[in-house]
Amino acid sequence: MSGPSERQIHKFRRDYAIKQQEQVLDIHLAVDRLHTLATPALRKATTKVEFEWRIVIQGAYPGQTDSKMGVVDLMKSLPVHLIACLMAQQPQRAGQDSWQAELTPHKLSHTSIWGYLAQGLTLLGNLCGLSAVLKEVAAAINQDSTFHERVLDLANMTLSCLAGPAAQHSNAAAVDPDREQECLDRAAMVPAALNAVLYAFQPAAAVADVELHFLCMELFKQAASPIFLDAIFDAVAVVINMVYSALVAGNTSMDLYMLSYHAGVTMQVLAELTATPLFYYRLAIQDKPFAAPLRLIAAGLDLHSLPLVPPPFKQEGSTCVPILPGTDTHSTAAAQGAAELLSARAMALMLCFSDYEATGFLDQAAGHLATSELLDQCVDNILGYAGLALQRPKVSSVPVEFTGEGQMQLNSLHMAEVLTDDSNFRQRAMDSLAAPMAHALSQSPQDFASAWLAGQEAFELHSKDTVNDTTYLLLSSLSVEALRKANIIKALAINLHLARPDKDPGSFRHTLALEAVERCITLFMTLGNLHWFTPATCPPQLENYFADLLVEQVKKQKQDQTLKQALQAVLANLQSLYQHNQLIFQAAHQHVPQDANLVLSQDELKLGERLILHLRTVHSSLPDTTD
């Protein structure tokens, strides 16, 4: 019997050579060509060859052979490859290293070693997302007991390159106009590393309300997870410090919005994780004073420390005064609102941490020497933000210029409410907020109602809180109770005729109404907290302390009025504020009686009423014509 023909032998050898070539992983090529493909696009690029899923990378130019890579082999090799690149600090800028031609015949496009690592981490995360769709791939990966360990080691090493002593290099890149791309590449590694870890540890059966819980369970089984928790918070703080450094240095060539985006998107995921009790309490065990999260929050709150000032103000001497539209530009304008969004996110994260009563965030941080000073700095910054929010000039005279200002002001008011409800910070809040509160309460009845009783001014303040004028931004606590409260207030806004009851429950007008009502409730509850006193737990000198400070500040700020007349105007606004909150209270107990206390309780109403009664007593004791 005759053997195979020469043509058959040639075909066999060619097919064997092609198969052998396909088994050689060109990871550089994979990272370069595939990092821009999200999971759905990767799925379209995969095909099943015999019993193996492979990704097809089309040739870069006509006539070039397509490359095929096994998905499982690529996933297993990628973490080790990126760790080796990180340790060798290679490849640098594409085309500048002669040895790159020995590793891949293809032209690469990365701009730095940091850009290449960000691309590789992005691809790794998307491949892990693909494995959730391709069950055979997931089964093969789960059989490798070291895969998740390698992914976590890679993330820890990458984040430590930013959060450790090398942070000074990141800040240096932020102020150097010639290193803009390096700066952006460094920042891009942070969300890429976090996403790679989250997708790698995602549960096999994802259920929306418990997915993060089981993800945390899998993550915390790893011995290196404590390193990751510290490193991710610190790495985001470094990126925020890069934004601050670039703003202070006046580095106008830097894409500050994109730089801020990398920090912001990571903070959003961290807020979602923090709303997961398992994550919070594991963090509380590992980091009892919550030092790592506090460092991140402090970085966000320091974004407007001198020489920068929150909009729409500028620094004149030792005070902040409103800018003059058309003449002045506020100090963070170059970031186009991104700095304000980062500060708002920092306060939203702090709100989320503060929602836990057991092992309370503020108590733990205040009770440890390692963090008490940093917490004091954060508290002072928050009260400063809230004070400026209370004194903001009318939108008609100083318009809201960029996205973020409204969110930053609202979150500062929310945090002021939290701090005034804490005995550790109440007296400091009294001293800090007395003058701004006097300013807000001394407005004309029309201006006060417009700004603080869910009027037109309140709507205008948040009119810029969108992305591309389409997607609304609402940055606040993501805890279950906070989200339920927000949904209740949004429904109440419709019942109070503050928003159109149209078919779209997430409409722009509805969200504006939510924030307008929140301003009203938050101001009222903060005033009640400031006047709160009980002999059992409060030192006697705090009885009526805030009310006396408020009267003193009204006296200083009054213009062509007697103190009695000025205080009468304050009382009129306070009474309007009380009545408006009473309407909200009644609407809540009528429509959602089981959850009404999430919005406003009877005891909280009484706190505000006590302040009004005391000020009335002071008012009645004043003479009519003299101070």
Side-chain angles (χ1 to χ4, degrees), residues 10-322:
H10 179 72
K11 182 178 183 301
F12 172 79
R13 288 175 175 173
R14 185 189 63 186
D15 291 344
Y16 180 78
I18 292 173
K19 188 173 182 180
Q20 289 297 109
Q21 183 179 3
E22 289 175 352
Q23 290 178 356
V24 178
L25 281 176
D26 189 341
I27 300 182
H28 291 88
L29 173 65
V31 171
D32 190 72
R33 300 286 176 80
L34 300 178
H35 76 274
T36 58
L37 301 183
T39 297
L42 280 175
R43 176 64 185 89
K44 291 181 180 179
T46 56
T47 182
K48 200 168 187 179
V49 180
E50 296 178 352
F51 299 103
E52 181 185 25
W53 283 100
R54 293 188 179 184
I55 297 178
V56 179
I57 304 176
Q58 295 181 348
Y61 50 85
Q64 186 180 26
T65 306
D66 293 345
S67 300
K68 296 179 182 178
M69 300 183 184
V71 175
V72 174
D73 291 338
L74 181 58
M75 286 183 66
K76 289 182 177 181
S77 303
L78 195 52
V80 178
H81 168 78
L82 294 175
I83 289 173
C85 290
L86 183 61
M87 295 178 68
Q89 291 291 288
Q90 296 291 346
Q92 293 294 332
R93 184 181 296 272
Q96 291 187 353
D97 299 319
S98 58
W99 57 266
Q100 285 186 25
E102 300 176 7
L103 298 177
T104 176
H106 303 278
K107 292 182 179 180
L108 305 180
S109 63
H110 63 277
T111 52
S112 67
I113 173 59
W114 314 111
Y116 183 78
L117 289 169
Q119 292 175 358
L121 286 162
T122 300
L123 174 59
L124 179 60
N126 292 337
L127 286 171
C128 290
L130 180 64
S131 69
V133 180
L134 304 178
K135 302 304 179 185
E136 298 97 327
V137 174
I141 290 296
N142 288 332
Q143 289 176 0
D144 184 351
S145 59
T146 63
F147 173 75
H148 295 89
E149 181 182 339
R150 291 197 299 269
V151 172
L152 194 57
D153 286 343
L154 168 62
N156 287 343
M157 292 179 67
T158 303
L159 295 171
S160 296
C161 283
L162 286 174
Q168 59 182 330
H169 301 301
S170 298
N171 285 327
V175 301
D176 187 345
D178 296 329
R179 299 172 67 185
E180 175 188 4
Q181 190 58 53
E182 177 194 341
C183 184
L184 294 173
D185 289 343
R186 285 173 178 267
M189 292 193 303
V190 180
L194 177 58
N195 284 336
V197 170
L198 295 186
Y199 280 118
F201 286 92
Q202 65 182 338
V207 181
D209 56 343
V210 296
E211 179 180 358
L212 285 179
H213 175 83
F214 285 108
L215 186 153
C216 291
M217 285 182 62
E218 294 301 315
L219 174 61
F220 294 146
K221 290 178 182 177
Q222 298 293 322
S225 61
I227 301 173
F228 176 74
L229 291 182
D230 272 350
I232 187 63
F233 283 106
D234 284 340
V236 182
V238 169
V239 178
I240 294 175
N241 288 333
M242 291 163 70
V243 176
Y244 179 80
S245 297
L247 280 169
V248 172
N251 188 358
T252 55
S253 67
M254 178 66 65
D255 187 348
L256 287 169
Y257 199 91
M258 181 53 68
L259 183 61
S260 303
Y261 171 81
H262 293 309
V265 70
T266 313
M267 292 175 77
Q268 178 66 24
V269 178
L270 287 176
E272 294 175 14
L273 286 169
T274 303
T276 306
L278 178 59
F279 181 88
Y280 175 87
Y281 289 115
R282 176 59 182 261
L283 186 60
I285 293 173
Q286 174 199 317
D287 185 1
K288 289 185 178 179
F290 294 99
L294 192 60
R295 287 192 294 269
L296 168 55
I297 291 168
L301 295 175
D302 277 342
L303 265 175
H304 295 87
S305 58
L306 293 176
L308 307 181
V309 181
F313 296 90
K314 62 179 180 179
Q315 189 75 15
E316 278 193 3
S318 59
T319 60
C320 292
V321 297

Side-chain angles (χ1 to χ4, degrees), residues 335-374:
Q336 303 177 60
E340 287 67 54
L341 284 174
L342 287 178
S343 294
R345 288 189 183 279
M347 286 183 272
L349 190 60
M350 196 170 186
L351 283 168
C352 200
F353 273 101
S354 302
D355 281 341
Y356 291 92
E357 294 185 5
T359 320
F361 169 73
L362 291 174
D363 288 339
Q364 292 294 107
H368 286 76
L369 290 175
T371 50
S372 59
E373 186 175 343
L374 186 58

Side-chain angles (χ1 to χ4, degrees), residues 398-439:
V398 185
V400 177
E401 190 173 357
F402 293 115
T403 298
E405 182 189 334
Q407 292 285 293
M408 181 181 70
Q409 291 186 5
L410 182 60
N411 282 356
S412 69
L413 295 170
H414 281 314
M415 272 308 307
E417 179 193 334
V418 171
L419 295 173
T420 55
D421 194 34
D422 191 310
S423 59
N424 291 316
F425 312 107
R426 186 177 293 116
Q427 183 170 354
R428 191 184 311 177
M430 291 176 179
D431 293 328
S432 181
L433 296 180
M437 283 291 187
H439 177 90

